[in-house]
Amino acid sequence: MSGAPSTRFVTVVLDVDSTLSSIEGIDWLAGQCGESIAAEVADLTDKAMRGDIALEEVYGRRLSIVRPDRTAIDALGREYVATTARGAVAAIAEWKSRGVTVILVSGGIRNSILPLAGHVGLESGAVHAVDVHFQPDGEWAGFDSASPLTRSAGKREIVAQLDLPRPLIAVGDGSTDAAVRATADAFAAFTGFVTRPTVADDADFVVTSFDDLTPIILGDG
């Protein structure tokens, strides 16, 4: 954006789980299946987000354990909206009013993230996530296993492929978000819901809220 202050970012790449929303979507789905499944899936998620194991090692495994049907996916969409991060709606509206491009890049389930995107004022085209598939009766039929977002470096790949205005900042809580730093101009570790030291250590900024993000993005502070 010509004439924009050098400290201002003109594109924001936002994570969803434990960033734009307080929950981890697949963990929430697992929680509807009982304590033992919830604990197993949450452990896999945490290890992947810390970078202890590659996301591709656990992505399909978690979903094969849970096998969410259409009803569960729709319920997750409502839960995402109910658990939107404090201040996110107002912050995103302010960023957009200043000409900032905002997109969501998530390893979560696109079908469930779309209602959250609408809630925070983003179009469906701004959502990059993983599609799931259903049988005609609404039962689980699999997911888009070819999506880059099922892999540890997938977010970085997606951002690199998109023709996004620069400078660009990526925001998120996990190792997959930190990996975007290689193709972004900056990375902000979001610690409002969970703190992962290995992720924060790689960050240009560490923020606990969307109120913290606004002055960084707009260059007002």
Side-chain angles (χ1 to χ4, degrees):
M1 183 176 292
S2 177
S6 61
T7 55
R8 179 180 174 181
F9 295 96
V10 297
T11 296
V12 180
V13 176
L14 273 179
D15 178 38
V16 173
D17 295 46
S18 296
T19 299
L20 184 56
S21 165
S22 66
I23 63 172
E24 289 284 341
I26 295 179
D27 291 1
W28 186 89
L29 289 169
Q32 313 309 300
C33 301
E35 291 184 6
S36 63
I37 289 178
E40 180 181 2
V41 171
D43 181 60
L44 292 171
T45 298
D46 187 54
K47 287 177 178 176
M49 290 302 98
R50 290 201 313 262
D52 293 346
I53 54 178
L55 180 63
E56 47 267 46
E57 292 183 30
V58 304
Y59 198 95
R61 182 176 169 188
R62 293 181 304 170
L63 283 174
S64 68
I65 292 169
V66 178
R67 298 178 62 84
D69 60 14
R70 189 186 301 276
T71 298
I73 293 298
D74 290 346
L76 174 58
R78 294 190 293 272
E79 190 66 15
Y80 270 136
V81 171
T83 57
T84 306
R86 178 180 58 82
V89 174
I92 291 171
E94 183 175 2
W95 304 345
K96 290 174 62 182
S97 76
R98 295 278 293 271
V100 175
T101 296
V102 183
I103 66 170
L104 305 182
V105 180
S106 171
I109 296 169
R110 189 172 189 271
N111 317 52
S112 298
I113 292 172
L114 287 173
L116 175 61
H119 178 63
V120 301
L122 300 178
E123 301 294 331
S124 60
V127 179
H128 302 268
V130 180
D131 287 307
V132 296
H133 311 300
F134 305 103
Q135 302 286 353
D137 62 359
E139 290 300 308
W140 169 255
F143 67 99
D144 180 12
S145 59
S147 170
L149 293 167
T150 64
R151 305 191 296 268
S152 295
K155 291 186 179 184
R156 182 176 67 209
E157 294 176 28
I158 293 293
V159 173
Q161 292 168 6
L162 296 172
D163 184 19
L164 295 167
R166 299 284 178 149
L168 176 154
I169 186 170
V171 183
D173 68 292
S175 62
T176 56
D177 304 299
V180 180
R181 182 65 183 84
T183 192
D185 299 289
F187 168 61
F190 191 91
T191 62
F193 301 117
V194 61
T195 300
R196 297 183 171 96
T198 56
V199 174
D201 288 347
D202 289 337
D204 301 284
F205 307 96
V206 177
V207 298
T208 62
S209 70
F210 277 75
D211 289 342
D212 291 345
L213 271 173
T214 294
I216 293 170
I217 291 164
L218 299 183
D220 292 340

